[in-house]
Amino acid sequence: MAEKSGADILVECLIDLGVEVVFGYPGGAVLPIYDALFNHPKIRHVLVRHEQGATHMAEGYARSTGKPGVVLVTSGPGATNAVTGITDALMDSIPMVVITGQVPTHLIGTDAFQEADTVGITRHCTKHNYLVKSPNKLASVVHEAFHIATTGRPGPVVIDIPKNVQIATAPYSKPERFEHASYRPQTKADPAAIATAVEMLAAAERPIFYTGGGVINSGPEASELLREIAALTGAPVTSTLMGLGAFPASSGQWLGMLGMHGTYEANWAMNKADLIVCVGARFDDRVTGRLDAFSPDSKKIHIDIDRSSINKTVDVDLPIIADVASALTDMIALWKDRGHKAADLSEWWARIEGWRARNCLAYPDSHEEIMPQEAIAQLYKASRTAKDVIITTEVGQHQMWAAQHFGFDAPNKWLTSGGLGTMGYGFPAAIGAQLGNPDSLVVCVAGDASIQMNIQEMGTASQYRLPVKIFILNNEYMGMVRQWQELTYESRYSNSYSDSLPDFVKLAEAYGWTGIRIEGPQELEAGIRQMIDTPGPVIVDCRVAKLSNCFPMIPSGAAHTDMLLDPSQVEGIMSDEAKALV
Amino acid sequence: MHIQEEISERHVLSLTVSNEAGILARIAGLFTARGYNIDSLTVADITPDHAISRITIVTSGPPKVIDQIMAQLDRLVPVHKVTDLTENGPFVERELALVKVAGTGEDRIEALRLADVFRAKVVDTTIESFIFEITGTTDKIDNFIGLMRQIGLVEVGRTGVVGLIRGKEPN
């Protein structure tokens, strides 16, 4: 068999694995791979402006298409710049493969130019990583890396390839299907656990589905199954930030998001439920609030593909280790098989309606200033005319307002950094999503502070003619930091004012984009319309009320029932125990 | 404000892993990253082709943390199997120590007498010193070292614990 160079083997593998887009940035230690990609007919390389941007683009691409995102960066600074995005993908379980160049094997360990211990640095922020020391091993490693990244609980995998391994040759043939020696994620649930779960669900008087990103990761079928089991049981459904869209916001059974900035009805229903069915969520601290007061009287069923999520923070009564779609399929089949009918939950629903009547997402009206919540509501309304809308966000108040006021009816349409909370995620994620969904309207809802964390990627969108829209809720503050300082530190706004902001409209023009400024409520609707109707990329600088806070809010260390609904409930000081929590 | 700590218990965990570069760093790093304790850790390959290693870890923590440690270890890609020997008991655990003791006259005789009681073996000797080789449980070795300290302990090298489930079945 004719031998190929390591670089050519890598590219062959990517083609065999169905990779269409690679997000990357060249440098000394990956030049052989870049040469193999030169004018490549099948693999589209997207040149980013900073390696962190590449990782978030890959995440956005992966989250919106269900395919793994692929990143290619050089050694040393290329790899270290990618670390934030890799960690973000680990926390949010996003399938991603990151290929890093490395100095040649004989220079490893000598502090060579642009050498960094990439496998050492990324060992604990990847699902798995590899240093490939021979071209003979490259093909099997690449195929294994994609298998690991995309199966079980998805996550990022790093492949570090020294430059001499890219140049040295080896025979290549597409690897046959293989069985990994030790990695075998459990996807099929224990039938006994399924049977117990079905009986618990049938017997429950106050059940609730608490769903998360695992439903999205399990594929569109899982979202369909969630809708089906919700319809069969009549139980209310709430979701984490990561799970939005898996269950339609337009459904009467939808309670909205739960947790720190979740709805009153979702959090109270969790608190008073007698059965929580956790589907692909992980009892994160943003969701549970004070642990000893979290849903004290409920039995808890936890469906998760990752055994380490079970009993990590909250003890559950029935763990089900499985892929969400597989577990729900089994539960629905058994539910029907045993002839269960939806129980009479009218009393439970009456209580829920009582909580709903608090209208917790209401916000004060203003004729002088744009309320940020109103801006999101108008964006939602206007974007319904588009045939497909994908929303990404940065991290902060705007992210929570988008989660609260934008309704998602389908999975893979909401891309946000949940676990790591990475400012600078949203805009590159929007670019990745637009590449994967060329006909969709992709809008990055941003804050004035977080948009600046990867704003250099405007050049990438221009270069590839990507019509992404950036919708900045500009309050001239790091709003969430300012809100916490107001709540916890008697409004001492230490370093949370966004001084020296750029003129975003002029910035847009400098990159060949369209810039729109919206300054008052009377301009809001038309400004948003103009953004949507503009064919190319647009920045909207939407000037919103500067001191608005995001409510409802469960302060750190408080219980679901200690929710703050409006500013009048804020005291401005907190105990040291509460201050110590994030 | 004060930081509270929970009561912990000692567990011996036995892992089989692929014998690949970085596996030890992966495991040790998991313990530091998640704030778990390692009291001892041993590793050596155990198959004719050197493909699989056994790692024995002595750790301590509240029961819930031990469960988490097991689950976290189990999801590392190169980990084949994790067994909590303490939970799955009865099991045998042994540790080996080399104990250097210096002394003359009555101390030297007492050292030999105690070594005999503990079934320690002399593996090196000079006119003024011995190196004893001793195997046993961690407690037994602690006791032996404690006695030698009173006689003239110079230094100690310990392997850490290895363990296996009793009976004919594998872990």
Side-chain angles (χ1 to χ4, degrees), chain A residues 265-400:
Chain A
E265 52 270 35
N267 285 324
W268 271 86
M270 287 291 281
N271 187 267
K272 298 298 174 199
D274 70 348
L275 177 70
I276 288 177
V277 186
C278 169
V279 189
R282 59 184 178 90
F283 296 95
D284 175 81
D285 56 74
R286 299 292 99 163
V287 159
T288 60
R290 205 177 92 207
L291 276 175
D292 60 5
F294 175 72
S295 194
D297 303 320
S298 63
K299 296 268 183 215
K300 297 170 187 77
I301 299 171
H302 188 178
I303 303 171
D304 203 300
I305 202 161
D306 179 0
R307 183 163 78 92
S308 76
S309 289
I310 307 291
N311 295 336
K312 185 164 64 179
T313 55
V314 170
D315 290 330
V316 298
D317 301 276
L318 180 67
I320 298 178
I321 316 285
D323 175 59
V324 165
S326 166
L328 291 181
T329 303
D330 293 352
M331 283 175 73
I332 289 167
L334 193 64
W335 177 278
K336 290 178 177 165
D337 218 36
R338 294 196 172 171
H340 286 307
K341 295 273 172 283
D344 176 13
L345 302 177
S346 54
E347 212 172 299
W348 180 223
W349 274 108
R351 291 178 76 183
I352 291 170
E353 292 307 333
W355 296 319
R356 248 185 195 161
R358 293 292 293 262
N359 198 15
C360 69
L361 295 178
Y363 47 90
D365 218 6
S366 172
H367 296 293
E368 286 84 51
E369 314 179 283
I370 297 173
M371 298 308 290
Q373 301 91 332
E374 178 64 18
I376 300 291
Q378 290 282 347
L379 176 67
Y380 177 43
K381 199 173 119 195
S383 66
R384 303 197 83 162
T385 57
K387 79 172 189 293
D388 187 49
V389 186
I390 296 172
I391 298 291
T392 76
T393 76
E394 304 289 341
V395 169
Q397 283 183 322
H398 67 273
Q399 177 190 29
M400 292 299 117

Side-chain angles (χ1 to χ4, degrees), chain A residues 21 23 44 46 56-57 59-62 64-65 388-392 412 415 426-444 460-461 464-470 513 534-538:
Chain A
V21 186
F23 303 93
R44 183 175 189 194
V46 174
H56 296 319
M57 285 178 209
E59 287 187 275
Y61 178 85
S64 62
T65 63
D388 187 49
V389 186
I390 296 172
I391 298 291
T392 76
N412 307 100
L415 320 179
F427 173 38
I431 292 177
Q434 188 79 76
L435 270 157
N437 305 269
D439 299 327
S440 299
L441 170 65
V442 181
V443 183
C444 167
T460 308
Y464 297 95
R465 308 253 184 281
L466 300 171
V468 290
K469 320 295 180 197
I470 300 176
W513 291 35
T534 303
V538 182

Side-chain angles (χ1 to χ4, degrees), chain A residues 159-214:
Chain A
I159 310 170
D160 199 25
I161 311 176
K163 195 172 181 184
N164 56 341
V165 174
Q166 299 167 29
I167 295 167
T169 58
Y172 174 72
S173 59
K174 187 176 173 178
E176 298 295 311
R177 277 198 60 81
F178 66 99
E179 181 144 280
H180 195 277
S182 51
Y183 172 76
R184 285 193 200 96
Q186 184 179 343
T187 54
K188 179 90 180 138
D190 169 15
I194 293 290
T196 311
V198 165
E199 292 315 311
M200 286 167 80
L201 201 46
E205 291 172 4
R206 301 185 306 282
I208 183 167
F209 287 101
Y210 149 47
T211 65

Side-chain angles (χ1 to χ4, degrees), chain B residues 140-153:
Chain B
K140 174 182 163 184
I141 292 170
D142 286 347
N143 285 334
F144 183 70
I145 293 167
L147 291 167
M148 289 300 149
R149 188 166 280 122
Q150 297 171 45
I151 290 172
L153 183 72

